[in-house]
């Protein structure tokens, strides 16, 4: 879990916490964002009153290793005996938020699995009845975050659902999307844009994102223009550049008695079995 395990959390000492705070919570890398019924002069006065004597020491810069743990396909089966459904996650390392092809990649993902009317959801939900919903997403971070397709499917169709997801990924890479599909995605992004920033809290979050990711000051002024500029060729190029079928990792949480043999037979990659705590059992 992102929040740690019982063992790892219990091992954290007061000294660990104090050291983390001293290294990371520093004035030189802090930004104050104030949104509301307040003028610039008053806002500056508030900030200076509370933070002017804090100093200018920058925080320690930390860069994680965001390279893939492996570059060949594999199946990771987590045992959940007697489960009527399997949780499926299929993905690989994605892109950093500041990648120059952020907009083509974002639009491509919307068409693949980011919208309710996306290809993956229509395939698994409408065409096959495997699930109530299936989606894909890039987790946008300062460094490369994961690209993941996720769904909960009936146990008996776990391997079949994974196969259909692979089909849609391959199709997105091989064929240009139609003008109608592309318009659906770009119109959606344009339409929800003003709704996303109706509250002061939403505006503050948006400004914080600009600081965190180092986005240009005109980012929101040019957002809709850049969405409209994405073409069908851009989408196919993004799919070819940023979807890597040969590197996909398949995680299935389900009943091995039902799902293991079909996963082996689909020849996705070597199958490793884990218990519910993540300890390797076989493979």
């Amino acid at each position: 879990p992102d929040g740690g395990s019982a063992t790892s959390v219990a091992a954290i000492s007061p000294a660990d916490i104090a050291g983390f705070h001293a290294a990371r919570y520093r004035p030189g890398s802090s930004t104050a964002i104030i949104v509301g019924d307040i003028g610039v002069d008053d806002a500056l006065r508030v900030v200076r009153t509370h933070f002017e004597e804090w100093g200018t020491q920058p925080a320690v810069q930390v860069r994680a290793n965001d390279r893939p743990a492996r570059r060949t396909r594999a199946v990771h089966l987590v045992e959940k005996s007697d489960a009527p459904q399997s949780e499926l996650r299929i993905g690989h390392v994605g892109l950093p938020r500041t990648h120059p092809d952020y907009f083509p990649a974002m639009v491509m993902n919307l068409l693949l699995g980011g919208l309710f009317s996306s290809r993956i959801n229509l395939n698994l939900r409408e065409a096959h009845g495997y699930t109530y919903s299936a989606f894909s997403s890039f987790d946008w971070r300062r460094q490369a975050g994961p690209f993941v397709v996720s769904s909960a499917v009936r146990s008996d169709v776990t391997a079949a659902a994974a196969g259909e997801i692979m089909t849609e990924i391959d199709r997105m890479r091989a064929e240009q999307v139609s003008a109608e599909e592309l318009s659906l995605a770009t119109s959606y992004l344009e339409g929800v844009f003003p709704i996303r920033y109706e509250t002061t809290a939403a505006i503050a979050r948006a400004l914080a994102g600009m600081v965190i990711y180092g986005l240009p000051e005109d980012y929101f002024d040019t957002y809709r223009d850049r969405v409209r500029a994405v073409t069908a060729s851009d989408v196919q190029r993004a799919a070819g550049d940023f979807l890597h079928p040969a590197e996909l990792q398949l995680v299935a949480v389900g009943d091995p008695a039902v799902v293991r043999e079909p996963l082996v037979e689909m020849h996705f990659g070597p199958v490793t079995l884990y218990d519910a705590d993540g300890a390797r059992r076989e493979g």
Side-chain angles (χ1 to χ4, degrees):
D2 289 341
S5 64
T7 301
S8 65
V9 171
I12 299 173
S13 69
D16 293 330
I17 297 172
F20 182 87
H21 181 273
R24 306 290 184 87
Y25 288 75
R26 293 183 176 181
S29 52
S30 298
T31 301
I33 295 174
I34 301 174
V35 180
D37 187 12
I38 184 172
V40 173
D41 291 340
D42 288 338
L44 287 173
R45 187 160 40 252
V46 169
V47 172
R48 287 170 179 150
T49 297
H50 294 282
F51 298 107
E52 195 165 39
E53 297 182 0
W54 196 14
T56 59
Q57 187 180 25
V60 175
Q61 296 298 310
V62 177
R63 185 169 182 84
N65 179 1
D66 60 2
R67 291 173 297 184
R70 63 179 295 154
R71 292 190 177 274
T72 55
R73 295 197 324 203
V75 177
H76 311 273
L77 175 57
V78 182
E79 184 176 23
K80 188 71 173 175
S81 297
D82 300 324
Q85 288 186 315
S86 297
E87 284 286 345
L88 268 181
R89 302 292 185 271
I90 301 177
H92 53 57
V93 175
L95 305 172
R97 174 62 182 81
T98 54
H99 195 283
D101 282 325
Y102 168 78
F103 283 93
M106 177 179 61
V107 172
M108 181 274 293
N109 177 70
L110 283 180
L111 295 170
L112 177 65
L115 295 172
F116 190 78
S117 58
S118 69
R119 291 182 174 186
I120 288 176
N121 195 52
L122 290 180
N123 183 323
L124 268 64
R125 174 188 166 94
E126 303 297 331
H128 289 93
Y130 290 160
T131 182
Y132 287 112
S133 63
F135 293 96
S136 67
S137 65
F138 285 96
D139 188 350
W140 299 107
R141 305 176 183 178
R142 282 187 290 186
Q143 292 180 242
F147 164 77
V148 178
V149 182
S150 60
S151 185
V153 301
R154 299 196 324 268
S155 295
D156 62 320
V157 298
T158 300
E164 292 301 326
I165 290 170
M166 292 296 299
T167 295
E168 295 301 344
I169 289 175
D170 290 339
R171 187 162 72 98
M172 182 63 72
R173 287 165 49 88
E175 305 171 1
Q176 278 199 12
V177 298
S178 68
E180 182 180 1
E181 271 189 292
L182 179 62
S183 177
L184 178 67
T186 56
S187 296
Y188 168 80
L189 290 172
E190 287 189 75
V192 301
F193 179 80
I195 301 173
R196 288 177 172 171
Y197 308 109
E198 289 184 322
T199 67
T200 52
I203 294 171
R205 284 194 298 271
L207 295 176
M210 288 179 60
V211 174
I212 291 169
Y213 300 116
L215 301 178
E217 291 187 2
D218 66 348
Y219 173 76
F220 291 104
D221 295 328
T222 61
Y223 177 89
R224 282 179 282 190
D225 290 337
R226 299 187 71 178
V227 166
R228 282 192 292 265
V230 175
T231 66
S233 295
D234 292 332
V235 169
Q236 186 178 17
R237 176 177 55 81
D241 289 346
F242 309 131
L243 299 179
H244 308 297
E247 298 182 11
L248 287 167
Q249 305 300 301
L250 189 162
V251 178
V253 182
D255 187 347
V258 179
V259 307
R260 183 172 186 171
E261 196 57 34
L263 288 172
V264 170
E265 291 176 354
M266 72 179 294
H267 301 294
F268 185 94
V271 178
T272 302
L273 180 65
Y274 304 83
D275 65 22
D277 293 321
R280 180 179 295 197
R281 293 189 56 194
E282 300 175 23

